[in-house]
Amino acid sequence: MAIKDTPEEWTVTATTTPFTGNKTSVRTDTVVMPDGSTVTRDYQVHPGSVAVLALDDEGRVLVLRQYRHPVRRRLWEIPAGLLDVPGENPLHAAQRELYEEAHVKAADWRVLTDVYTTPGGCDEAVRIFLARDLSEAEGERFEVSEEEADMELARVPHDELVRRVLAGDLHNNCLVVGVLALTAARGGEGLDALRPADAPWPARPFEA
């Protein structure tokens, strides 16, 4: 038996969009179950995101601390952002986010992993990149606002982040998945065996 997620789509007999926000919306679908009955399913429609685990030559991960209102917490995270344009190349979006949030560029990019953040209630798909060979970006820093205005930046040893994740001190989805995936990659075939940065992404197809 192949352990692999596969595409499938059950019949939808009706759909409405009771809420439309600035970046996301809420959809209600009437879905036919295997026994022929129908149920309604409410979920958030999301454009998709990218995240960047930026690893420097000293084995430290670039992290930032930002207030997240829905959970009423200030969380340590890795740089991340929305796919603002349909069909946008996720690598280009990741490079943009690393520049805007950390004023850093990277010469080596790989796909670390792809995840659905909350598939029971949202269709958000995130591609997490591994970025290495880091250097400061040229030019002026990107002007930030709102929650990003007082964002803190730090470089933390990867092993320390793993300890903090397992201790329950860190909770951001992309950070947790990213640091543990990095641990697994290092213990497996190595970082150079990760997928190339332009690997296909069926969840969010893009132009090369």
Side-chain angles (χ1 to χ4, degrees):
M1 177 181 177
I3 304 300
K4 182 177 181 179
D5 295 339
T6 56
E8 185 170 342
E9 186 169 352
W10 292 2
T11 300
V12 174
T13 59
T15 185
T16 60
T17 304
F19 171 79
T20 300
N22 185 33
K23 296 291 186 180
T24 67
S25 61
V26 173
R27 182 176 296 163
T28 299
D29 288 344
T30 302
V31 186
V32 180
M33 297 288 102
D35 64 1
S37 63
T38 59
V39 299
T40 57
R41 293 288 179 260
D42 304 317
Y43 58 98
Q44 183 184 24
V45 178
H46 194 285
S49 306
V50 292
V52 184
L53 193 146
L55 183 69
D56 69 15
D57 293 339
E58 298 179 37
R60 301 174 302 174
V61 176
L62 194 156
V63 292
L64 50 91
R65 191 168 181 245
Q66 184 174 347
Y67 176 67
R68 293 301 188 183
H69 187 71
V71 295
R72 308 303 198 270
R73 293 286 189 277
R74 190 180 289 269
L75 302 180
W76 285 103
E77 308 178 351
I78 57 177
L82 298 175
L83 291 169
D84 293 323
V85 180
E88 181 178 16
N89 188 309
L91 174 60
H92 298 166
Q95 291 169 332
R96 179 185 68 237
E97 294 300 330
L98 186 61
Y99 164 74
E100 291 182 356
E101 296 190 348
H103 200 65
V104 167
K105 63 181 180 179
D108 186 278
W109 290 83
R110 311 272 174 159
V111 174
L112 188 54
T113 191
D114 300 322
V115 295
Y116 290 112
T117 54
T118 49
C122 179
D123 71 351
E124 181 184 15
V126 181
R127 168 155 283 188
I128 303 176
F129 289 91
L130 173 66
R132 294 181 291 172
D133 194 2
L134 308 182
S135 61
E136 289 293 313
E138 295 89 1
E140 296 183 2
R141 286 186 172 271
F142 182 78
E143 185 175 349
V144 295
S145 61
E146 300 173 349
E147 286 90 346
E148 296 180 350
D150 66 344
M151 198 162 54
E152 301 173 50
L153 292 174
R155 296 194 183 201
V156 181
H158 171 238
D159 291 345
E160 175 64 14
L161 291 176
V162 173
R163 285 192 291 271
R164 293 294 183 178
V165 165
L166 297 180
D169 296 332
L170 300 172
H171 306 89
N172 175 264
N173 182 291
C174 291
L175 184 149
V176 170
V177 171
V179 299
L180 296 183
L182 179 61
T183 301
R186 281 175 157 173
E189 298 180 7
L191 303 186
D192 290 336
L194 291 168
R195 286 174 291 162
D198 60 354
W201 189 18
R204 294 293 185 274
F206 61 91
E207 293 291 336

